[in-house]
Amino acid sequence: RKEVTALTLGTDNAYVFAGLGGPYWTDSNGDGVVDETDTPASEGAVGLAMGGVQLGLALFQPTDENDADSYFALAASADSAELVGLPGLTIAANGIGVAVNSVRSATAGAPVLDLSSLAEGGLAIATGGEDVTLDFSSELLRVEVADATLALSEFVYVRGSFAFEQGPTLDVTDTDGVEKSVRTLTFGAANAYVFAGIGGPYWTDSNGDGVVDSADTPDADGAIGIALGGVDLGLALLAPTDEADLVRYTALKVSADTASFVGLPDALTFELNDVTISYNAATGPDATGPPALDFSTLDGGGLSVATGGEPVVLDYTGALLSVSVGHGVLGNAGFFSVSGSFGFEKNNDELIV
């Protein structure tokens, strides 16, 4: 327990532009405020524009002059963020959330502040509007995006929700029953739609409901490439806190509603549905390969990976590599056709096809 002084900064419903040709955000309807009802002055503007920003930031310093540690906590959200004025490149996001709780210390592994232990369950930051409450209980770096779009001309298109998190330290158990403390880094995606090829973007919001999903009809005219639909992904990278332990752990779960090559001649067909990829492994200096982690021993029965939407749970009990397809079709006009479900799985003991 420490006594600290706190310096806070807050803002609510802010509109930010950084770049050339601004101000970009203007009170176009003359109602005295800049908000989502205004039309930006985008002509000639090049830079980063963020709308509807709410932020709460706190810097903490111990009152004990012999304590050189310092602490930083941040909670921020934005309705929108977009790179503007770059022809052929689209990077836009909606529903953005950022959370940080960290410590700067000369002592390795120094703990962060548990802000949830405060009398009100957290620290309320005044913003001039609605307060932002910092209630973090552990070390955290997390970025979540409810809806993001990345488009590079007509060649690459990605849309979905995403999250990145440098999470707390966890106590885990490997398949040999050895317990370890590990640092975690995760990346997740939910309901993502991907196209890579020419003639894109292929995936479009054809029904105008503001999202790209299975209810939309792809714009296939002139598109040639690979298209993935309804993709959920959870990836976790874990490293022991013991610096002498060189073992590294990787776990991955990917599912896709559809995967297909589009724009092929009518005689060719290649389509996959209900695709799932599962992977759990450990690497290290041991030539025989160290044991993988048993995620089922964690609280909740697995490691929950934030995606910006529904989390992906990694609940593997041992080393695994598997790929399964609920239904696939491969054909060449009247010459041959293959359809059905298939998969393979490799674990510590056997290979199953």
Side-chain angles (χ1 to χ4, degrees):
R1 190 174 182 86
K2 292 185 178 183
E3 183 180 82
V4 298
T5 58
L7 175 66
T8 67
L9 170 68
T11 186
D12 189 42
N13 200 36
Y15 284 75
V16 181
F17 176 77
L20 304 174
Y24 184 79
W25 299 111
T26 62
D27 180 19
S28 63
N29 59 13
D31 64 355
V33 294
V34 174
D35 57 23
E36 69 278 1
T37 64
D38 292 301
T39 302
S42 58
E43 184 175 356
V46 180
L48 174 65
M50 302 179 68
V53 177
Q54 186 181 55
L55 177 146
L57 178 153
L59 304 173
F60 304 94
Q61 192 74 39
T63 56
D64 182 354
E65 295 182 357
N66 296 317
D67 189 340
D69 291 350
S70 57
Y71 304 89
F72 173 82
L74 167 74
S77 62
D79 294 337
S80 64
E82 183 178 4
L83 285 177
V84 299
L86 299 175
L89 175 64
T90 299
I91 300 178
N94 299 292
I96 304 153
V98 179
V100 180
N101 192 29
S102 64
V103 58
R104 181 178 181 181
S105 175
T107 304
V112 298
L113 296 181
D114 180 0
L115 299 176
S116 68
S117 66
L118 294 174
E120 301 299 323
L123 178 64
I125 306 296
T127 67
E130 184 178 349
D131 288 353
V132 173
T133 299
L134 305 177
D135 56 1
F136 310 124
S137 60
S138 60
E139 185 176 8
L140 180 65
L141 169 58
R142 179 175 63 225
V143 178
E144 291 187 283
V145 180
D147 182 27
T149 300
L150 167 64
L152 178 59
S153 188
E154 63 177 32
F155 303 110
V156 177
Y157 177 87
V158 181
R159 184 165 182 177
S161 61
F162 303 90
F164 164 86
E165 182 172 341
Q166 183 176 311
T169 298
L170 296 177
D171 293 325
V172 296
T173 305
D174 66 23
T175 54
D176 284 350
V178 177
E179 295 184 358
K180 294 184 177 183
S181 180
V182 297
R183 297 183 297 270
T184 61
L185 181 68
T186 66
F187 175 77
N191 200 37
Y193 285 76
V194 181
F195 174 79
I198 59 174
Y202 183 76
W203 300 111
T204 62
D205 179 20
S206 63
N207 58 13
D209 64 354
V211 296
V212 173
D213 56 24
S214 58
D216 292 302
T217 301
D219 182 8
D221 188 21
I224 302 174
I226 185 169
L228 305 173
V231 178
D232 293 335
L233 178 149
L235 169 68
L237 306 174
L238 307 98
T241 56
D242 180 358
E243 295 184 1
D245 189 339
L246 301 180
V247 178
R248 299 294 182 264
Y249 303 94
T250 304
L252 170 70
K253 183 181 291 185
V254 183
S255 64
D257 294 338
T258 61
S260 61
F261 285 108
V262 299
L264 298 176
D266 293 340
L268 297 176
T269 301
F270 183 83
E271 298 178 353
L272 304 176
N273 297 287
D274 298 328
V275 182
T276 301
I277 301 172
S278 302
Y279 180 71
N280 188 30
T283 59
D286 186 351
T288 61
L293 295 179
D294 180 356
F295 289 96
S296 68
T297 62
L298 294 172
D299 291 341
L303 177 61
S304 181
V305 177
T307 66
E310 289 294 320
V312 172
V313 178
L314 304 176
D315 54 3
Y316 306 127
T317 59
L320 177 68
L321 171 60
S322 72
V323 178
S324 66
V325 176
H327 184 261
V329 177
L330 173 63
N332 184 358
F335 295 103
F336 72 89
S337 178
V338 179
S339 66
S341 59
F342 65 90
F344 79 87
E345 177 179 322
K346 182 181 184 301
N347 55 39
N348 283 332
D349 303 316
E350 55 190 352
L351 176 66
I352 303 171
V353 178

